[in-house]
Amino acid sequence: MDLNALRTAHPDHWSKATAIRALTLDAVAEANSGHSGMPMGMADVATVLFEKHLKFDAADPLWPDRDRFILSAGHGSMLLYSILHLVGDAQFPIEEIKNFRQMGARTAGHPENFLADAVETTTGPLGQGIANSVGFAMAEEIQRAHYGAKVVDHHTYVIAGDGCLMEGVSQEAITLAGRHQLSKLIVLWDNNNITIDGPVTLSDSTDQVARFKAAGWHTIEIDGHNPNEIDAALTEARKSDQPTMIACKTHIALGHAAQDTSKGHGALTDADQMAAAKAAYGWTTGPFEVPGDVKSAWEEIGKRGASERAAWEERFDKMPRSKRETFNRALAFETPKKLSATIKAFKKQMSEAAPKLATRASSEKVLEVLNPILPETVGGSADLTGSNNTKTGDLGVFDTDNRGGRYVYWGVREHGMAAAMNGMALHGGIRPYGGTFMCFTDYARPSMRLAALMKIPTVFVMTHDSIGLGEDGPTHQPVEHLAISRATPNTYVFRPADTIETAESWEIAFSSKNTPSVLSLTRQGLPTVRTEHKNTNMVEKGAYVLADAEGKRQVILIATGSEVSVALAARDLLQAEGIGVRVVSMPCMELFAAQDEAYRKRVLPGGAVRVGVEAGVRQGWDRWLFGERGKFGKAAFVGMDRFGASAPAEELFEKFGITAEGVAAAAKDLL
Amino acid sequence: MDLNALRTAHPDHWSKATAIRALTLDAVAEANSGHSGMPMGMADVATVLFEKHLKFDAADPLWPDRDRFILSAGHGSMLLYSILHLVGDAQFPIEEIKNFRQMGARTAGHPENFLADAVETTTGPLGQGIANSVGFAMAEEIQRAHYGAKVVDHHTYVIAGDGCLMEGVSQEAITLAGRHQLSKLIVLWDNNNITIDGPVTLSDSTDQVARFKAAGWHTIEIDGHNPNEIDAALTEARKSDQPTMIACKTHIALGHAAQDTSKGHGALTDADQMAAAKAAYGWTTGPFEVPGDVKSAWEEIGKRGASERAAWEERFDKMPRSKRETFNRALAFETPKKLSATIKAFKKQMSEAAPKLATRASSEKVLEVLNPILPETVGGSADLTGSNNTKTGDLGVFDTDNRGGRYVYWGVREHGMAAAMNGMALHGGIRPYGGTFMCFTDYARPSMRLAALMKIPTVFVMTHDSIGLGEDGPTHQPVEHLAISRATPNTYVFRPADTIETAESWEIAFSSKNTPSVLSLTRQGLPTVRTEHKNTNMVEKGAYVLADAEGKRQVILIATGSEVSVALAARDLLQAEGIGVRVVSMPCMELFAAQDEAYRKRVLPGGAVRVGVEAGVRQGWDRWLFGERGKFGKAAFVGMDRFGASAPAEELFEKFGITAEGVAAAAKDLL
């Protein structure tokens, strides 16, 4: 690259873009760790985007109608941090840049949404940002339909790398965006032909432009170092009625000895090479120093949106009060006052009616009463609507001609659904929930983990939650998936036993602000076990005594979900023999673990043998069987220690011994 | 559809294809469960494939040079089962068809490779089959390069549905196949425009033909009910020098009242509608009855490959004996005799040299000595070759001009890599291993689970296995991933503490026939803890006493991987205070659980407090802390109960208290 020519042709642009490059080199060198090349390659694109197109106000990074900027290639975090510092974001003083990748800094190795207001989403695991962005763009469409374009009218811009586009989830994302013609979604592809192992061509020969076209996108190809081309492309993209992918041909680590090599992807810390690069840029200030005029020019960019924001606030204030309240309430993930009363009334009705229902059907009943009072919910399913029971009558279907529709047919895209739901939650104003078979937790895992890490309340509705699904067999029968979700920090895993517990689980999931929920629901019908109405949300306690021992308490059976009724039946068998049995329902281990010790001890006192019952693996159960003051050595677990099989459900429960008789026998063995 | 016209135009073909449709209807009706529509829609395509193109011999479904047939749309299992019955596969008498989806039948809800020889892979979770198929086709190329086309020369045929193509993993698969120009891979897309939720257009508008072209595929579009077009397309595909996708326009549930509807996807059990469909087909025999001439015609198809197989056997027998032996040994997943001696010599050398190495670097050292004696290994990495240390000098790189290369640059495709590795193992003759960061277990999960379910010895090399990776931060720091893999049945999770344990772990992984392995390896350097050479493979015992207490044993520290040296240092601290401490290294919980009780008791006797140490979540540990005769209530765990952070590694271990001092303090708290 002839840097001199670039610099001479566009001197003002050049100095602004070079500030990003210089700060990146300095921060990575100081940390002796990080990724220099991507910010150096995409500095021109990002500069033009922030200078001329992105609607934002550095003074208020949370302005609800800002354009969203998503750095899907999250390893290039210094691109974002440099810009946030340059535009004057108060959370990014130069000290933060100097502390890049150090303990407690906002400038984490990869951008983390919960560390800084201007970081829209947590990226780093490749493909997640671009898949989140689909949810951001859908959320904008839905909110615009609900509140009008005067209040909601913004774009979602994404910078994605070759790695993002190689990840499978990117295909789920771009085909969704193409299907729904999300014209306000604009992806800038950092087309630098370099990955860690070498040139992209080592492992990929995809014609990305043709691929995006095949998915229904508008595409533009530009020189990613030419500010005029970048500007024109962004202008064209904003006018398109399709989502747009701009292929930006760039040089990774522009101007550095490592330019255009895979070495350029990583940490460029050699002092001589850094000096040479800065000299080639014509950059003469010391480390972490930005010339005053360049900093001022960037700060002007940071203020560019201030008047637009003020005008927006005026328009917002003119909305009817109730709409404003709903808008703000949803943005804060707060619940309407009537949620609690609605749940209580529903529970009362159901404990009286005591229906025999699969909990997936119970869940639908709950959603039928909650969706109407929570206009911010958006439901969906990854092509299992009738099986996941996620669609209720009032939602309407999100489509090109019904942007206000609150139900999404996600197609066979579990991962894309999970990532886009995260995007909706991150965008704000939407409470997303979506379903698939629990076994396909596996497909959605990367985004489910990120929901937990990002502290957002996405709800994953996982039906067909055990061998109880029967004939579809072991590929579809979750065995380890409860353990997987429970192993994940900051995740509620609910396994309700009946309609009442299902309602209580939903109440918690829809009231959560910072924690995602997994609802583990059955395919098969279950009796109502909570026939005595209580206003208290018992699931909130995590576990509670459902039926106490008659006579001396010799056995405690602890069960979840579909196995609670098995435990109750086992109790009948044992009590008939004069053995006193307490049954504890444990719909949420995480919430039980969060109770104080006194409560936990009341529910699980010593002096009795314990049997855990769950149609899944034992992993995670020993804490409750032994670790919490169980009588030493006197505990057993009735569950699965292998994959399931294809056969009718009742036969499978027999085969694997998850029956009242099996549980009673396990308890008697211990006595 | 005018069935009469189809029937009249190709009467012989029609009756053969209709036999599939009729058996499908009967089996699903008998099971009252299953998927009728796909086999009914794809019967014509499958009939022509088996009749005129697929190289197979029903008498020997394991013939190594057979063409592979992969039903990626696994829910249409009755398509495969019907054909296997019709061609006379001895494992599929009519009783199996009648027992569809019943306990113990080979005819499971979804095809399971371990239930029947002719089932090449387990499908059902969508997209897996097509992604496996890339591994099958690569394995064929590699084996052909190694053994010559006289012995290895076959195609891989796949039937994939709309769901398979919507799943992200399909993109990783098809771009890999395109990049490597896997011309012997032929995908038949069941283009029926129906998914469970409705028409495909409800959720997807992708131009699939253009998409495959963009990935470097040859494409052909045909009427999937016209046998001439099907035949011509398959002929053309076999001649192509690119992988070929044949878009077969079909009608789901052809001829049934539910034709072309999402209802047609599921179980069509209505007796009247079944009778009407059979009448429309001109099918007059009773349930499960195939007219003699039709059955004979199919049986002839089943014998079609017999002479070809005989000729192949002659050619095979002419290969040099050593080549034949290697071929057969690799096919049986057997190890060469010298493996054990090689490992022992390596261990002896390393226990003397006692290097300080990251276990990922130890792993590379092991591979350097094992790859040369195991010509069947194929290594690779998902774009982290230098970080995963998976490439050794002698492998050569698999490419279009080096088909014998044994190293694959998988690109940023963790899921596609895992699925393709499974395909290689299933193909036979290849022992695949591949690396990524342990955190991206999440991306590979669906295929990792299937490796376990399918009982194949794929090896997943997961480096950067804790907060010890440092600055990349919580998105890249596994916390729950050991628990996730351990929760999965039939999976070895190895977390070696040093070079010696790493060598022992590899020995087990490369000797395994039916169990996949996860190697959890560090980024950071670790001291050698096994400096006294032992011939015995101690990892095989799962856990063992690494350092015993001096004086009265008051504490047992149990640790894995990078925390073993932390435990040893904690032991020093405690012994200095006169507290007797045993350190148990537990590199593989699954293998320890498989030891007899006497051994487990010897390693973990009662009468001492226990502290578990692992830089991951506690889930899975309580069994060893309490469940196995620990002193009640006297145990603790030092590990992670939240996500990590971005900072230098040593600071993170300090912050989270995973230090010798922290462990010693936890032990003293218990005394």
Side-chain angles (χ1 to χ4, degrees):
Chain A
M1 286 300 290
D2 182 350
L3 299 194
N4 224 32
L6 290 176
R7 186 177 157 195
T8 320
H10 311 281
D12 290 346
H13 166 81
W14 178 259
S15 57
K16 286 196 285 280
T18 299
I20 298 172
R21 295 186 176 104
L23 287 174
T24 296
L25 281 168
D26 293 338
V28 171
E30 181 73 21
N32 196 26
S33 153
H35 300 82
S36 314
M38 184 281 202
M40 292 164 73
M42 284 299 277
D44 295 305
V45 169
T47 299
V48 176
L49 173 65
F50 275 75
E51 181 174 7
K52 302 201 171 152
H53 295 274
L54 194 81
K55 179 168 78 170
F56 78 109
D57 179 356
D60 184 4
L62 296 178
W63 172 24
D65 200 32
R66 70 193 178 277
D67 285 345
R68 267 56 169 188
F69 172 68
I70 293 169
L71 189 69
S72 190
H75 55 277
S77 55
M78 271 309 302
L79 179 74
L80 179 56
Y81 301 150
S82 299
I83 293 174
L84 293 175
H85 166 66
L86 290 165
V87 296
D89 185 309
Q91 293 185 322
F92 287 86
I94 195 71
E95 290 68 36
E96 284 289 343
I97 306 297
K98 291 180 179 169
N99 269 327
F100 180 51
R101 292 183 155 235
Q102 303 310 302
M103 188 75 78
R106 287 188 205 280
T107 46
H110 294 83
E112 291 169 21
N113 66 302
F114 50 90
L115 294 182
D117 292 341
V119 176
E120 302 283 0
T121 178
T122 294
T123 50
L126 294 175
Q128 294 298 320
I130 190 172
N132 292 157
S133 78
V134 175
F136 275 90
M138 288 169 91
E140 195 267 352
E141 294 282 1
I142 293 168
Q143 280 216 309
R144 184 149 36 88
H146 292 182
Y147 293 98
K150 285 188 182 167
V151 172
V152 180
D153 188 8
H154 52 265
H155 283 81
T156 302
Y157 294 95
V158 183
I159 288 184
D162 294 299
C164 291
L165 300 194
M166 262 196 258
E167 290 287 1
V169 71
S170 69
Q171 182 68 14
E172 302 183 24
I174 72 171
T175 53
L176 269 168
R179 165 62 184 80
H180 288 293
Q181 294 292 285
L182 301 173
S183 59
K184 301 180 87 171
L185 175 60
I186 297 171
V187 170
L188 298 144
W189 167 37
D190 180 15
N191 178 15
N192 62 26
N193 192 34
I194 291 295
T195 67
I196 290 173
D197 275 355
V200 169
T201 43
L202 198 64
S203 59
D204 191 58
S205 54
T206 308
D207 179 342
Q208 296 292 0
V209 168
R211 175 194 176 201
F212 275 77
K213 276 189 183 146
W217 286 56
H218 179 54
T219 61
I220 308 172
E221 296 179 68
I222 62 166
D223 171 359
H225 300 298
N226 183 323
N228 296 345
E229 287 190 30
I230 299 164
D231 185 29
L234 284 165
T235 303
E236 180 181 330
R238 288 167 61 182
K239 287 183 191 152
S240 170
D241 54 9
Q242 295 173 294
T244 298
M245 190 275 264
I246 304 175
C248 310
K249 191 83 208 77
T250 60
H251 295 275
I252 197 168
L254 182 84
H256 189 278
Q259 180 186 309
D260 299 328
T261 69
S262 57
K263 192 181 169 300
H265 173 90
L268 303 177
T269 55
D270 180 275
D272 293 341
Q273 292 182 342
M274 270 177 64
K278 286 188 180 179
Y281 297 156
W283 192 259
T284 53
T285 54
F288 300 107
E289 281 175 27
V290 179
D293 59 329
V294 179
K295 184 72 168 77
S296 303
W298 267 111
E299 282 172 5
E300 284 308 307
I301 294 173
K303 292 171 191 157
R304 203 169 42 82
S307 58
E308 212 167 344
R309 177 166 70 89
W312 177 86
E313 274 169 5
E314 270 182 40
R315 294 197 300 276
F316 183 82
D317 289 341
K318 282 186 193 140
M319 266 207 308
R321 184 176 155 176
S322 73
K323 272 206 153 183
R324 272 183 285 141
E325 282 176 356
T326 304
F327 186 95
N328 286 328
R329 182 183 59 69
L331 208 56
F333 287 124
E334 273 160 11
T335 49
K337 287 216 182 81
K338 55 185 159 185
L339 176 67
S340 168
T342 306
I343 289 281
K344 279 174 193 152
F346 176 84
K347 280 165 56 181
K348 187 157 194 301
Q349 189 194 341
M350 286 299 138
S351 56
E352 281 160 14
K356 188 184 174 190
L357 278 179
T359 45
R360 62 185 172 123
S362 307
S363 170
E364 183 176 350
K365 273 187 181 295
V366 178
L367 290 170
E368 288 284 6
V369 301
L370 294 190
N371 277 332
I373 63 166
L374 289 164
E376 66 268 37
T377 57
V378 170
S381 163
D383 198 43
L384 290 166
T385 295
S387 299
N388 299 146
N389 301 61
T390 37
K391 190 164 183 286
T392 61
D394 59 318
L395 292 178
V397 173
F398 179 79
D399 209 335
T400 46
D401 58 3
N402 187 28
R403 294 308 204 185
R406 289 165 55 202
Y407 192 79
V408 182
Y409 286 113
W410 290 106
V412 188
R413 300 183 183 95
E414 300 84 5
H415 193 178
M417 170 178 77
M421 288 201 297
N422 286 350
M424 287 178 173
L426 289 160
H427 175 279
I430 304 281
R431 220 179 237 289
Y433 69 88
T436 184
F437 287 158
M438 189 172 215
C439 216
F440 303 146
T441 296
D442 288 349
Y443 283 85
R445 249 308 286 179
S447 303
M448 291 175 74
R449 177 182 211 248
L450 280 164
L453 176 56
M454 294 195 285
K455 304 177 187 173
I456 51 174
T458 314
V459 183
F460 303 95
V461 182
M462 300 307 198
T463 72
H464 297 61
D465 73 344
S466 77
I467 51 168
L469 66 82
E471 293 90 343
D472 271 346
T475 54
H476 286 55
Q477 290 163 355
V479 168
E480 69 274 40
H481 300 82
L482 284 163
I484 286 174
S485 289
R486 287 178 186 145
T488 309
N490 191 39
T491 301
Y492 293 140
V493 182
F494 297 107
R495 194 160 191 259
D498 67 1
T499 308
I500 312 299
E501 285 193 1
T502 304
E504 292 176 342
S505 301
W506 270 114
E507 182 178 17
I508 302 164
F510 274 168
S511 305
S512 170
K513 293 184 176 192
N514 307 118
T515 301
S517 297
V518 174
L519 270 77
S520 168
L521 304 173
T522 65
R523 177 193 186 210
Q524 72 273 25
L526 301 179
T528 296
V529 296
R530 285 264 297 281
T531 47
E532 243 175 88
H533 175 64
K534 266 188 193 156
N535 270 332
T536 315
N537 184 323
M538 297 306 289
V539 172
E540 211 155 47
K541 301 189 176 299
Y544 61 93
V545 179
L546 178 64
D548 214 344
E550 288 166 31
K552 183 178 174 250
R553 181 176 58 236
Q554 292 179 267
V555 175
I556 302 178
L557 303 179
I558 315 170
T560 75
S562 45
E563 283 66 69
V564 171
S565 49
V566 174
L568 287 171
R571 176 179 176 276
D572 290 346
L573 295 177
L574 292 164
Q575 289 281 172
E577 296 185 39
I579 302 169
V581 178
R582 166 179 286 192
V583 171
V584 170
S585 178
M586 191 179 271
C588 183
M589 288 186 179
E590 297 77 28
L591 287 171
F592 187 58
Q595 303 304 310
D596 59 33
E597 198 183 345
Y599 178 76
R600 296 207 309 272
K601 229 164 136 175
R602 270 208 309 283
V603 175
L604 296 180
V609 302
R610 297 181 187 177
V611 180
V613 195
E614 182 171 84
V617 295
R618 179 170 182 152
Q619 191 177 300
W621 271 88
D622 283 310
R623 169 163 184 190
W624 313 117
L625 299 179
F626 298 109
E628 294 257 320
R629 299 175 183 272
K631 196 168 159 189
F632 163 63
K634 292 292 192 184
F637 179 72
V638 174
M640 298 289 293
D641 62 355
R642 70 199 74 179
F643 294 113
S646 171
E650 317 79 61
E651 295 179 32
L652 290 168
F653 280 106
E654 282 290 335
K655 177 186 166 78
F656 294 109
I658 309 173
T659 59
E661 294 72 21
V663 173
K668 283 164 73 178
D669 269 1
L670 299 172
L671 291 173
Chain B
M1 286 298 291
D2 183 350
L3 300 194
N4 225 32
L6 291 176
R7 184 177 158 196
T8 320
H10 311 281
D12 290 347
H13 166 81
W14 178 259
S15 57
K16 285 197 285 280
T18 299
I20 297 171
R21 295 185 176 105
L23 286 174
T24 296
L25 281 167
D26 293 339
V28 171
E30 181 72 22
N32 197 25
S33 153
H35 300 82
S36 314
M38 184 282 203
M40 293 164 72
M42 283 299 277
D44 295 305
V45 170
T47 298
V48 175
L49 173 65
F50 275 76
E51 181 174 8
K52 301 201 172 153
H53 295 273
L54 193 82
K55 179 168 79 169
F56 79 108
D57 179 356
D60 184 5
L62 296 178
W63 171 25
D65 200 34
R66 70 192 179 279
D67 285 345
R68 267 55 169 188
F69 172 68
I70 293 169
L71 188 69
S72 190
H75 55 276
S77 56
M78 272 309 302
L79 179 73
L80 179 56
Y81 301 150
S82 299
I83 292 173
L84 293 174
H85 166 67
L86 290 165
V87 297
D89 185 309
Q91 292 185 325
F92 286 87
I94 195 71
E95 290 69 34
E96 283 289 344
I97 306 298
K98 289 180 180 168
N99 269 326
F100 180 52
R101 293 183 154 234
Q102 303 309 303
M103 189 75 78
R106 288 188 205 281
T107 45
H110 294 81
E112 291 169 20
N113 67 302
F114 50 89
L115 294 181
D117 292 340
V119 175
E120 302 284 359
T121 179
T122 295
T123 50
L126 294 175
Q128 294 297 320
I130 190 172
N132 293 157
S133 77
V134 175
F136 275 90
M138 289 169 92
E140 195 266 351
E141 294 281 1
I142 293 169
Q143 280 217 308
R144 184 148 38 86
H146 292 181
Y147 294 97
K150 285 186 182 167
V151 171
V152 181
D153 188 9
H154 53 264
H155 283 81
T156 302
Y157 295 95
V158 183
I159 287 183
D162 294 298
C164 291
L165 300 193
M166 262 195 259
E167 291 286 1
V169 70
S170 69
Q171 182 68 12
E172 302 184 24
I174 72 170
T175 53
L176 269 169
R179 165 61 184 80
H180 288 293
Q181 293 292 285
L182 302 173
S183 58
K184 301 180 87 171
L185 175 59
I186 297 169
V187 170
L188 298 144
W189 168 36
D190 180 15
N191 177 14
N192 63 27
N193 193 34
I194 291 295
T195 67
I196 291 173
D197 275 356
V200 169
T201 43
L202 197 64
S203 57
D204 191 59
S205 54
T206 308
D207 179 343
Q208 296 290 0
V209 168
R211 174 193 176 202
F212 274 77
K213 276 188 183 147
W217 286 57
H218 179 55
T219 61
I220 308 171
E221 296 179 70
I222 62 167
D223 170 359
H225 299 298
N226 182 323
N228 296 345
E229 287 190 30
I230 300 164
D231 185 29
L234 285 166
T235 302
E236 180 181 329
R238 288 168 62 181
K239 287 182 191 151
S240 171
D241 53 9
Q242 296 173 294
T244 299
M245 191 275 264
I246 305 174
C248 310
K249 191 83 209 76
T250 60
H251 296 275
I252 198 168
L254 182 84
H256 189 277
Q259 181 186 309
D260 300 327
T261 69
S262 57
K263 193 180 170 298
H265 173 91
L268 303 176
T269 54
D270 180 275
D272 292 341
Q273 292 181 341
M274 270 177 63
K278 287 188 179 180
Y281 297 155
W283 192 259
T284 53
T285 55
F288 299 107
E289 279 174 28
V290 179
D293 58 330
V294 179
K295 185 71 168 78
S296 303
W298 267 112
E299 283 172 6
E300 284 309 307
I301 294 173
K303 291 171 190 155
R304 204 169 42 82
S307 58
E308 212 167 343
R309 176 165 71 90
W312 177 87
E313 274 169 5
E314 269 182 40
R315 293 197 301 277
F316 183 81
D317 289 342
K318 282 185 193 140
M319 267 208 306
R321 185 176 153 176
S322 72
K323 273 207 151 182
R324 271 183 286 140
E325 282 177 355
T326 304
F327 186 96
N328 285 329
R329 182 183 60 68
L331 208 56
F333 287 124
E334 273 160 11
T335 50
K337 286 214 182 80
K338 55 184 159 185
L339 176 67
S340 168
T342 306
I343 289 280
K344 280 173 192 151
F346 176 85
K347 280 166 54 182
K348 190 159 192 301
Q349 191 194 339
M350 287 298 138
S351 55
E352 282 159 15
K356 188 184 174 189
L357 279 179
T359 46
R360 63 185 172 125
S362 306
S363 170
E364 183 175 350
K365 274 189 181 295
V366 179
L367 290 170
E368 288 284 6
V369 302
L370 294 191
N371 277 333
I373 62 167
L374 289 164
E376 65 268 35
T377 58
V378 171
S381 164
D383 198 45
L384 291 166
T385 295
S387 299
N388 299 146
N389 300 62
T390 37
K391 189 163 184 287
T392 62
D394 60 317
L395 291 178
V397 173
F398 179 79
D399 209 334
T400 47
D401 59 1
N402 188 29
R403 293 308 204 186
R406 288 164 54 202
Y407 192 78
V408 182
Y409 287 113
W410 290 107
V412 189
R413 299 184 184 95
E414 300 83 6
H415 193 177
M417 170 177 77
M421 288 202 297
N422 287 348
M424 288 179 171
L426 289 160
H427 176 278
I430 304 281
R431 219 179 238 290
Y433 70 88
T436 184
F437 287 159
M438 189 173 215
C439 217
F440 303 147
T441 296
D442 288 348
Y443 283 85
R445 249 306 287 180
S447 302
M448 291 176 74
R449 177 182 211 247
L450 280 165
L453 176 57
M454 294 195 285
K455 304 178 187 173
I456 52 174
T458 313
V459 183
F460 303 95
V461 182
M462 299 308 199
T463 72
H464 297 59
D465 72 344
S466 77
I467 51 168
L469 66 83
E471 293 90 342
D472 272 346
T475 53
H476 286 55
Q477 290 163 353
V479 168
E480 69 274 40
H481 300 82
L482 285 163
I484 286 173
S485 288
R486 287 178 185 144
T488 310
N490 191 38
T491 301
Y492 293 141
V493 182
F494 298 107
R495 194 160 190 259
D498 67 2
T499 308
I500 313 299
E501 284 193 2
T502 304
E504 293 176 343
S505 300
W506 270 113
E507 184 178 15
I508 302 165
F510 274 168
S511 306
S512 169
K513 293 183 177 193
N514 306 118
T515 301
S517 297
V518 174
L519 270 77
S520 167
L521 304 173
T522 66
R523 177 193 186 210
Q524 73 274 26
L526 301 180
T528 296
V529 297
R530 285 263 297 281
T531 48
E532 242 176 89
H533 175 63
K534 264 188 194 157
N535 270 332
T536 316
N537 185 322
M538 297 305 290
V539 172
E540 210 156 46
K541 302 190 178 296
Y544 62 93
V545 179
L546 178 64
D548 214 344
E550 288 166 31
K552 183 179 173 248
R553 181 177 58 234
Q554 291 180 269
V555 176
I556 302 177
L557 302 178
I558 315 171
T560 76
S562 45
E563 283 66 71
V564 171
S565 50
V566 174
L568 288 171
R571 176 178 175 275
D572 290 345
L573 295 178
L574 293 164
Q575 288 282 171
E577 297 185 40
I579 301 170
V581 178
R582 166 179 285 193
V583 172
V584 170
S585 178
M586 191 179 270
C588 183
M589 289 187 178
E590 298 77 28
L591 286 170
F592 187 58
Q595 303 303 310
D596 59 33
E597 198 182 345
Y599 177 77
R600 297 206 309 272
K601 229 163 134 174
R602 270 205 310 283
V603 174
L604 296 180
V609 302
R610 296 180 187 178
V611 180
V613 196
E614 182 172 83
V617 296
R618 180 172 183 149
Q619 193 190 89
W621 272 88
D622 283 311
R623 169 162 183 191
W624 313 116
L625 299 179
F626 297 110
E628 293 258 319
R629 296 174 184 273
K631 196 168 160 190
F632 163 64
K634 291 293 190 183
F637 179 73
V638 175
M640 298 290 292
D641 63 355
R642 69 198 76 179
F643 294 113
S646 172
E650 317 78 63
E651 295 179 31
L652 291 169
F653 281 106
E654 282 291 335
K655 178 185 165 78
F656 294 109
I658 308 174
T659 59
E661 293 72 22
V663 173
K668 284 164 72 179
D669 269 1
L670 298 172
L671 291 172

